[in-house]
Each structure stands twice: as C-alpha cells, then as structure tokens.
Amino acid sequence: MDEMNPTMMDDQHETDYVPLKSEEVRGPFQEKQAEREDSENDEESEETLLRKKKKIKKKKKKEHKVKRDYNRFVIEFPDSLERILYRFDTIGIAICQITTSWPTQVLGEIIRLLTLIETGITFPYILFILGLDSLALQFAIIILLTLIISQIPKRFVYRKRPWVVSRAKKKGNESTSSFPSRAVTCAVIYGYQIGYLVRYITYSDASDVVLAVHWVWMPILCLIFFFAASWARVNRGVHYPSDCVAGGLQGLFVIVLGSGIYQGFIQLCPTCYDNECYARYIVVSIEQFIKEYNIYVMLGLSFLFLVLCLACVAPPIEFYTKFHYVFGLTLPCITFQVVFLCKPWSLTKMAALTKPPESVVNRLLSLLYGISTVILFSVFGALAPKTKLGSVLTFTTLYISGLLSLMLWRYALGF
C-alpha cells in the first residue's frame, strides 16, 4: 500500500475544513456592527438591572413597613404548631373554597361587613339613645373587652395569611396577622347579643318555659354565626380554619368574662333592668345639675380614658393604632352610665336621669337620631388624620361629642 504524501494530507485537510460561523472572517463593517450590538445589549442589561434594583428597593420598603408594624415585640406563629394544624387547615380550606364564584364572594362580603368590630362598637351607643340602658351597659362592657382582648394576639403573634403562603386562593387583600380571626370572635359575640336582646325585650312577659327555651336556641344562634363567619373568612383566603376555632373560643371567653363583670358592676350600681337606676324627678337647672351629678367622677374617668388611649399609641409597643375610633364610641357609654345612671355614685346619692318614655314615636325618633349620629361619627373617624397627634385629637373630639350627644338627648327626653 502506497504511503500518502504529507503535503497531500495537508491539502485534503484544508479543503475539508469548514469554518464555524463564529470563526468567519469579519470585515471592518461587520466588526463595527457587532460592537454596536454588544453595546446596545450592555445598555439593555444595565436598564434591566436598574429596573430590578428599583423593584427590590420598593419591596424592601414595604417589608420594612411590615417589620415596623408587626415584627417589634412579636412572636412568630410556631412552626411545630403549624405542622400539627396543617392537615386540619388544608382540609378546611379545600372544603370552604370548593366554589369561589361571584355569588359566594358577595355573600362572604356581606358577612364580613356584618362581623366587623366597627359594627359592634355602635350597639351600646344606639341602645343608650333608645333607653335600653341595662342591655346597653352589658353590650358596652363586652364590646370594650372584645377590643382589648382580641388586640393582644393580633399585636403580639404573627401568622401569615393562607393566600400569602399560597395555601389558599386569593380573594382578599388582608396581609396582617391571621391569628386569631377577630371577625369570628365578633360573630359569636353578636349572636349572643342578639339572643340577649330578644330575652331583654320579652323578659317582662316571658314565662319560665320561654326563658329556658331561650338558653337553648341562643347557643344554636351563636353556632350558626360562628360557622357562617368561619366559612366567609376561609373562603376569602384570609384565615385558616384553626384561626376561626381560636376566634370562636376567644368570643366565648369574652362573653363569660363580660357577663361576670356586668353582674359585679350592678351590685355596686343599681341596674336599669328593674328601673332602679332612674330618678323620680328631673334636674331643671345647671346649678342643680352641678350640685347633684358627680362631675368629679366624670372628669376623673375622662382623664383615665385619655391616658389609656395615649398608652395605645405610645412607642415602642404601639398597642392599638385604631384606638381613636373604636374607643371614641365605646368609652363615652361607660362614662354616661357611671355619671348619669348610677345614683349611689352621685353627690346626693339620688341623682340620675329619669326613665325615658317608651312610646313608639319616641323610640323611632331616638333610633333615627342614634343611627345618624353614629354615621356622622364614623365618617369623621375614618377621615381623621392617621398621625399620633391626629388620633389623640380625634379620640378627644369623638369622646366629648359622644358623651354630650347622649346626655343632651336623654335629658331632653325626660321633659
């Protein structure tokens, strides 16, 4: 076999070799165009990087805000407890979110509005305007306890909402702590209050059998309210079923504690349930008013409540930033009861407002007055500045206005 000439092999390699596209020889024009493309790509990548940096900055700002509001003096919901509740919560979410169509969303929104804490704080004021004083006092105590007790876990325990961690479909925008469900707490309490309202109205004509039946259907009403509110919150993707169970237990605790405080209070001050709290005569002059009613108690309570509200926004804890509105409508009711419906605490030991008239016309006028005043106060509270100084001024305005409007309306009804 003849040996191949090395020169022939080189020629064959040269003819067989096909240069790659990247290795093609470029002319001056192609090189300039390539440089231009590379510089444009570099500029685009720089712009993209700048955009990404801006997005990250915005995100960090939001995270910083959440840190400031929720991460100071806050305990993260334990992972061990999260693992224990995982199966229960997952099954509950799947059941409640079987359908998320617009009719269910509308129904859920209606339930949400009815179970807001802002809805409950209007009850005592309207009931005092109507002259249902014993009932109003009990509601005022329970609502005030709800505001304080439900805020403790909300402020100091943080649990991410289900939609935030992609465990539920997002139907709501709430991003604060989900534990426990305050809406469910309020639902249980409102169910109890509606049942107690029926008992209060029918008490004088009710037999023992009717009252016994009342204590059967009232817990059933509370359960219905509990399940309705729980479904609405889980369907919205803003609460776990375990949050709702905790909220229901919290509501029961508030009811028991509030009812006990109410029973203790009426031992110190005659109850309006049997009309013992009312005076038999009308105070007609300002001089008589000052001599008989305990203005010192009113000033002392007002100062105490102002200090309480200042403590709610005082750093570093900042316990309750919405205090100006929720306390601005509930605390005047407590002051009104102590000063104007508690004879033993008056200067003469006999001074109190007279029993309000029970005619249908007076009740209708009182209802219209109470609702319109509450709407006015609510709008004012919602539009008030959110600064600390603005909150304190808003609370002071609402407190004085609420107390004066209660006093003047009830005083006018006595004539």
Side-chain angles (χ1 to χ4, degrees):
M1 192 170 177
D2 296 336
E3 291 184 8
M4 193 174 285
N5 193 341
T7 56
M8 289 175 64
M9 288 177 64
D10 293 340
D11 291 341
Q12 188 176 356
H13 279 296
E14 283 176 8
T15 54
D16 291 345
Y17 176 73
V18 178
L20 296 172
K21 191 175 181 182
S22 59
E23 295 176 6
E24 286 178 358
V25 179
R26 297 180 183 178
F29 176 75
Q30 285 88 353
E31 285 182 2
K32 283 183 180 179
Q33 190 175 359
E35 285 176 8
R36 198 180 299 115
E37 285 175 359
D38 290 340
S39 63
E40 283 176 2
N41 288 335
D42 289 341
E43 284 175 8
E44 282 179 10
S45 60
E46 281 178 13
E47 284 178 11
T48 309
L49 282 171
L50 283 170
R51 272 194 232 107
K52 283 182 180 177
K53 281 180 182 178
K54 283 180 181 178
K55 282 182 182 177
I56 291 166
K57 269 189 178 180
K58 283 181 181 177
K59 196 174 180 182
K60 279 185 178 178
K61 278 182 181 177
K62 284 182 181 176
E63 286 174 359
H64 181 67
K65 191 174 180 182
V66 171
K67 259 187 182 178
R68 185 185 61 197
D69 290 341
Y70 303 106
N71 289 4
R72 293 192 76 183
F73 307 102
V74 169
I75 301 168
E76 293 288 336
F77 196 79
D79 289 335
S80 56
L81 194 54
E82 198 78 73
R83 284 192 291 271
I84 292 168
L85 298 170
Y86 184 84
R87 186 175 176 79
F88 171 72
D89 286 335
T90 303
I91 293 170
I93 290 169
I95 292 170
C96 291
Q97 287 199 327
I98 287 173
T99 175
T100 54
S101 58
W102 70 264
T104 58
Q105 292 304 303
V106 171
L107 179 60
E109 186 65 17
I110 292 168
I111 294 172
R112 184 187 75 84
L113 293 172
L114 291 175
T115 55
L116 286 172
I117 188 68
E118 288 83 0
T119 304
I121 62 176
T122 63
F123 293 167
Y125 181 87
I126 292 174
L127 290 171
F128 271 124
I129 290 290
L130 288 169
L132 304 175
D133 296 318
S134 179
L135 188 66
L137 173 62
Q138 188 183 31
F139 281 21
I141 291 170
I142 289 176
I143 291 296
L144 192 59
L145 284 174
T146 305
L147 292 170
I148 296 169
I149 291 172
S150 66
Q151 184 60 18
I152 294 170
K154 280 289 184 185
R155 175 60 187 84
F156 298 109
V157 179
Y158 184 73
R159 188 185 192 187
K160 290 178 181 177
R161 303 269 181 179
W163 70 265
V164 173
V165 292
S166 302
R167 288 187 63 186
K169 298 173 190 174
K170 181 184 176 182
K171 297 297 175 182
N173 294 320
E174 295 95 323
S175 59
T176 54
S177 176
S178 73
F179 182 83
S181 174
R182 183 183 279 160
V184 176
T185 299
C186 291
V188 172
I189 289 168
Y190 297 166
Y192 169 79
Q193 289 180 328
I194 290 170
Y196 204 86
L197 174 64
V198 174
R199 180 177 182 268
Y200 182 89
I201 292 170
T202 59
Y203 176 75
S204 57
D205 302 320
S207 64
D208 293 338
V209 175
V210 173
L211 291 177
V213 170
H214 163 81
W215 289 111
V216 172
W217 67 258
M218 190 166 70
I220 295 173
L221 185 65
C222 289
L223 275 174
I224 292 169
F225 276 50
F226 165 77
F227 283 115
S230 298
W231 169 82
R233 301 307 286 165
V234 177
N235 179 268
R236 194 176 167 84
V238 296
H239 279 297
Y240 300 93
S242 53
D243 294 335
C244 299
V245 173
L249 293 173
Q250 185 174 248
L252 287 175
F253 174 72
V254 169
I255 289 169
V256 172
L257 181 61
S259 299
I261 291 173
Y262 170 75
Q263 293 299 326
F265 185 87
I266 62 177
Q267 299 302 316
L268 301 173
C269 179
T271 174
C272 299
Y273 209 93
D274 51 13
N275 297 332
E276 287 183 13
C277 72
Y278 300 116
R280 298 181 183 278
Y281 62 93
I282 301 171
V283 175
V284 293
S285 66
I286 295 175
E287 186 181 353
Q288 188 182 0
F289 179 88
I290 293 170
K291 283 181 179 178
E292 296 201 5
Y293 289 108
N294 201 330
I295 306 300
Y296 304 108
V297 170
M298 183 170 68
L299 293 174
L301 278 176
S302 301
F303 178 75
L304 179 66
F305 292 153
L306 179 61
V307 171
L308 170 67
C309 292
L310 286 172
C312 285
V313 289
I317 294 176
E318 297 179 347
F319 178 69
Y320 206 162
T321 53
K322 288 183 181 178
F323 81 93
H324 59 281
Y325 172 59
V326 293
F327 287 158
L329 282 179
T330 50
L331 293 179
C333 297
I334 301 295
T335 305
F336 176 79
Q337 167 70 35
V338 170
V339 177
F340 299 104
L341 294 174
C342 190
K343 289 188 284 188
W345 294 1
S346 66
L347 294 176
T348 60
K349 309 298 181 187
M350 286 299 293
L353 293 173
T354 54
K355 191 175 186 300
E358 296 179 354
S359 66
V360 176
V361 175
N362 279 320
R363 285 284 167 85
L364 283 174
L365 286 173
S366 296
L367 184 62
L368 287 173
Y369 173 78
I371 292 173
S372 58
T373 309
V374 159
I375 291 172
L376 182 65
F377 289 164
S378 300
V379 172
F380 177 75
L383 297 177
K386 302 299 185 289
T387 60
K388 290 177 184 177
L389 179 60
S391 296
V392 173
L393 292 174
T394 303
F395 165 76
T396 306
T397 305
L398 285 174
Y399 178 83
I400 294 171
S401 303
L403 187 57
L404 283 174
S405 60
L406 274 172
M407 182 188 71
L408 293 174
W409 182 260
R410 290 293 300 277
Y411 191 68
L413 286 178
F415 284 96

